[in-house]
Structures are given as C-alpha cells and as structure tokens.
Amino acid sequence: MRALRGRLLWFVDDPETAGEAAHRYVEDGLLVLSGGMIQATGEAAELLPTLPAGTEIVDHRPHLIMPGFIDAHLHMPQTQVIASYGAQLMEWLNKYTFVEEQKLAQQGHPEKLTRFLLDELLASGTTTAAVYCSVHPQSAEAFFAESERRNTRMIAGKVMMDRNAPAALTDTAETGYADSKALIERWHGRGRQLYAITPRFAVTSTPEQMRLSGQLAAEHPDCYVQTHINENQAEIAFARELYPDSDDYTGIYQDFGLLGAKSLMGHCIHNTKHEWRAFAEAGAVAVFCPTSNLFLGSGLFDWARAKRECVRVAVATDIGGGTSYSMLRTMAEAYKILQLQGQSLSAFGSLHAITRGNAVALGLDHLIGTLEPGTEADVVVLDPAATRVMAHRLETARDLAEELFVLVTLGDERNVVATYVAGERAGA
Ligand code: GUN
Ligand code: ZN
C-alpha cells in the first residue's frame, strides 16, 4: 500500500455549469493507493492514523495531486512529423505525414515510436490517450503490447485507408476490416487496453471501406470509432466531392453507421448547424485540438457553440499536427482560441476538460479522470512553481484560481513532478 500526501484537486462536475461546487480541493490531503486503485481520498490528518503499518507515504507537499491527464486524439506515427514547416492539412499529409507513416513498415520502428510516445505522454502527466496507429496492423500490435507492459489505460486502433494515399499506406476494405477485427479480438478489453475502429477520414476510404467500418462498429458496439471531420476547407470540398449523395460531411459518417455515442470526431471546426444537430442526436464527441488547429491554420473551434448544441467536447493534442505533448500547453492554446471568439475558459474549466471532462467524453469517468475512491490510480503530481517565470509570477497570486490559471497558461511537462500509473510511479 502507498499513500501520496499533497494538495488534492479533482472534479465531480463541470465548472461551467456547477461553478465552485464542481471541484474538490484538499489542502493537506492524502490519496491512499492499493492494488492499482484509489482506496481512500481525504484529509491527511484523518487518514494517516488509519493506514496499516508499513504503508509507504510519499510526501509530495506542497505540490498538487490531480488525476492523470487524458488526451483524446493523437497520432503515434507522427512523433517525427511534429513541427513540419509551411503547409495546411492536405499538403501537410502528403508532403510529411504519409512519408513518415510508411516507415512503420520497418521492423522495430513502431516499437521505437511507441516507446518514445509513451515516455513523453507520461512525462507530460498524460496517462490515457486515444491513439491513431498506422495502417500496418503491427503498429497497433506494437502499441498495445508496450501499453500493456506499462499497464497504461490506452485507446488505439489501426488506421484504415484504401484510397488517396500512397500505395504502401493502403489496405483494402476487406483487409482493413479483417485486420481490425483480429486486433479487437486480441486487445479490446485485455487488461487496460481498448480498441478504436479507425477509418482515417472519409477522404481516404472508399464507400466499401466505410461500409465495412460501420459493420465493424455495429459488431463491436463497445469499441470506439475515431476519425477526422470538418478540419479544413479543401478537405471538406474533397470529402463532399467523393460522397455526393450524403447531406454533408457528418452525413457521410452517419450514412455508414459511424456516428454514435462512442465516436470521437477530430476537429469539427467547420460544423454547420445541421451537423451540430446530428452530433447532438447521435451523442457523438467533438474533439478539439487547439495547437494543431492553429499550427495547420485550420480555424477556430467554437466551444460555446458545441456546448450550446449539447454536444460533448473532448480536448486533444493531435500530435503531430499539434505541437505539444502537454495537455496544459494544449489548454493554454484553447484559451487563446476562445479569446479570439469572445469566449472564456477558467483554469478550473481547463483542468476539468483534461481530466473528468475527457473521461466523461470517453465514457470512462467511472474509472479515470477523478480521485474518487474505487477508481484507477492514475495520478499526476504538479509543481506550479517549477520554472523561474512561474515561481516569480506566483509571488503575486492571491488564491487557488489564480495559481491554477498561471499553471494552465504557462505550464507544460516541466511542471510534472511525478506520474503514477495504476498506483506505480512511471519512469521510476
Ligand atoms: N486528417 C486526416 N488525417 C489527419 C492527420 O493525420 N492529422 C490531422 N490533423 N488531420 C487529419
Ligand atoms: Zn488527427
């Protein structure tokens, strides 16, 4: 048994609707971990006397202890694509991404990128992510094997693409279906691993591949579906041209049974009124990728609109269109995107989004994104004063909200003191 002592912060509701009642903060708190789960959460003074002899107490005071962060969309094959110059989506895909993704056919390469990615996510305090692998089934196999070795709760899938990509990066409707099905049978629900059926986007799938993806989703309703939509005007025009019979871009996914409550729809920047309605009716999740949307010049995600339309929103890095592995940095950019639209996002709102908010969007809030007893012990320990700039700025912070806003605005992996995965310290 292990207990972590520090300032506990977590959410039981959404601060945008529940205000101050949404968060729990324990100034001198104790988090008791046992068997990979959180066993007790509360005041150190009350819990310390109850601990069995021999319990290891890790004193993280005065640092913050929060649920591990959750990243709802990123690409494992793009860890060496991040920071590629001068292009918007379609050119960027062809010029950089599809070139690097071909290397995943090489023996050992998916393993190498996966190890790098998981090291970097954990160093950034991220303990769960929804991950696109490459078209090669062995890329998903390598990813899940490494995630299982580390006991991280991860969602991943083999990308399906059968057109508009280099021949070396395409499967066929039939092999995409069969290989995905085999991966689902092998990995979905094994330990902490979960599968996402992953047609990359309508542009790179034929109607037959979309149909079989929908069939796979119907056959495995507890798997996720992850894809891209309404990111960039040229992409939208191309998708509409390829699927002239569908009402709109969302209609394409709808027509093939790919828009449901487990669908993680990347970007949604240019959703129309009709499309927001379809999302709300289906319960589909709009995945906001701030650093990517700015880096690729894709546009400004309308957070207030999504909320107004009662659409669930998740947030994500979208590595390597995105430019940071840190969910803190991601939320700093989210704040600026909202500012440009006259919207605002409090520090509590941001920290909620990357913990409980994303857990709710993924339907995993009974397991992760919280410090409630009975949930999985994925935890991040944060030092808001880790950098000179932040320590200096915090000299004038008057309360918790101000301190957290500094953390969210200036913070990144440098603020991560420790990350615990199922109760064990990562990288220790
Ligand atoms: N749309 C289809 N594939 C991708 C991708 O890899 N990254 C981003 N940002 N958008 C996409
Ligand atoms: Zn993406």
Side-chain angles (χ1 to χ4, degrees):
M1 190 173 288
R2 177 178 288 137
L4 312 182
R5 188 169 182 179
R7 297 191 289 147
L8 308 182
L9 175 66
W10 77 103
F11 295 87
V12 295
D13 205 338
D14 186 344
E16 277 190 49
T17 49
E20 288 282 309
H23 71 271
R24 296 279 180 272
Y25 178 67
V26 186
E27 177 79 30
D28 184 6
L30 201 71
L31 195 65
V32 184
L33 316 178
S34 174
M37 308 293 280
I38 297 173
Q39 194 176 74
T41 309
E43 298 283 350
E46 283 169 27
L47 289 173
L48 280 170
T50 71
L51 296 178
T55 301
E56 177 197 355
I57 297 170
V58 188
D59 194 349
H60 282 301
R61 286 176 298 172
H63 301 325
L64 282 169
I65 298 178
M66 288 194 65
F69 300 150
I70 301 167
D71 183 343
H73 177 134
L74 66 87
H75 299 260
M76 178 269 271
Q78 296 178 18
T79 55
Q80 294 180 322
V81 174
I82 186 170
S84 291
Y85 172 75
Q88 293 208 345
L89 178 64
M90 299 309 285
E91 185 192 354
W92 175 86
L93 280 175
N94 288 309
K95 190 167 164 184
Y96 303 115
T97 304
F98 289 164
V99 176
E100 281 306 310
E101 290 198 11
Q102 293 184 47
K103 297 183 185 164
L104 277 92
Q106 295 168 15
Q107 179 84 27
H109 200 56
E111 288 79 2
K112 172 185 161 172
L113 298 192
T114 297
R115 283 194 299 272
F116 176 84
L117 174 64
L118 292 180
D119 283 347
E120 203 54 38
L121 290 177
L122 294 171
S124 304
T126 297
T127 48
T128 291
V131 178
Y132 288 65
C133 299
S134 70
V135 74
H136 318 92
Q138 65 269 32
S139 72
E141 182 64 31
F143 181 84
F144 281 126
E146 183 63 17
S147 175
E148 177 175 66
R149 198 181 69 73
R150 298 178 191 227
N151 200 21
T152 41
R153 182 167 283 290
M154 291 285 162
I155 300 165
K158 173 205 116 65
V159 156
M160 290 182 277
M161 294 200 270
D162 68 344
R163 65 167 157 179
N164 295 319
L169 276 188
T170 53
D171 51 13
T172 67
E174 290 73 24
T175 62
Y177 171 87
D179 289 342
S180 300
K181 197 165 185 72
L183 285 161
I184 291 168
E185 279 159 11
R186 192 162 147 73
W187 288 106
H188 183 69
R190 169 164 153 183
R192 305 188 76 197
Q193 312 313 313
L194 298 167
Y195 199 84
I197 296 160
T198 310
R200 186 180 204 118
F201 62 158
V203 167
T204 46
S205 289
T206 59
E208 181 59 6
Q209 180 158 76
M210 296 285 276
R211 188 184 71 75
L212 285 174
S213 299
Q215 187 178 318
L216 208 48
E219 288 165 355
H220 301 279
D222 52 336
C223 285
Y224 295 91
V225 170
Q226 58 181 356
T227 190
H228 297 84
I229 186 169
N230 287 327
E231 178 176 7
N232 167 289
Q233 298 296 356
E235 169 222 11
I236 296 169
F238 197 6
R240 299 297 308 276
E241 193 183 306
L242 293 170
Y243 291 91
D245 296 338
S246 295
D247 281 353
D248 45 32
Y249 201 159
T250 299
I252 302 171
Y253 293 115
Q254 237 175 346
D255 291 346
F256 292 101
L258 291 165
L259 193 78
K262 301 216 73 166
S263 298
L264 311 175
M265 310 299 289
H267 304 296
C268 303
I269 298 167
H270 308 288
N271 279 20
T272 62
K273 186 184 186 71
H274 184 253
E275 291 182 293
W276 282 123
R277 294 282 145 81
F279 266 64
E281 268 168 40
V285 177
V287 185
F288 175 23
C289 307
T291 70
S292 171
N293 297 166
L294 293 171
F295 181 73
L296 293 175
S298 304
L300 307 178
F301 178 83
D302 194 341
W303 178 292
R305 176 72 187 272
K307 293 286 165 97
R308 210 163 54 237
E309 301 281 3
C310 300
V311 171
R312 286 186 297 164
V313 175
V315 289
T317 61
D318 191 26
I319 295 293
T323 51
S324 173
Y325 290 83
S326 167
M327 291 307 294
L328 293 173
R329 179 67 67 84
T330 298
M331 295 318 293
E333 299 309 292
Y335 178 86
K336 296 170 195 171
I337 288 174
L338 268 56
Q339 277 283 54
L340 282 166
Q341 301 172 93
Q343 301 172 20
S344 81
L345 184 58
S346 71
F348 288 115
S350 281
L351 293 171
H352 173 263
I354 63 180
T355 55
R356 181 183 173 274
N358 271 358
V360 168
L362 297 172
L364 294 174
D365 49 311
H366 57 300
L367 296 176
I368 57 171
T370 174
L371 298 182
E372 292 290 319
T375 63
E376 298 176 345
D378 292 342
V379 175
V380 58
V381 182
L382 297 158
D383 175 7
T387 71
R388 225 170 86 84
V389 167
M390 294 175 78
H392 178 71
R393 169 63 179 86
L394 287 172
E395 285 175 13
T396 68
R398 286 161 305 187
D399 57 21
L400 179 65
E402 273 195 36
E403 181 190 12
L404 296 178
F405 190 70
V406 171
L407 175 65
V408 168
T409 305
L410 302 177
D412 56 31
E413 64 278 6
R414 292 171 297 176
N415 301 89
V416 175
V417 172
T419 304
Y420 292 84
V421 174
E424 300 297 328
R425 192 164 178 163

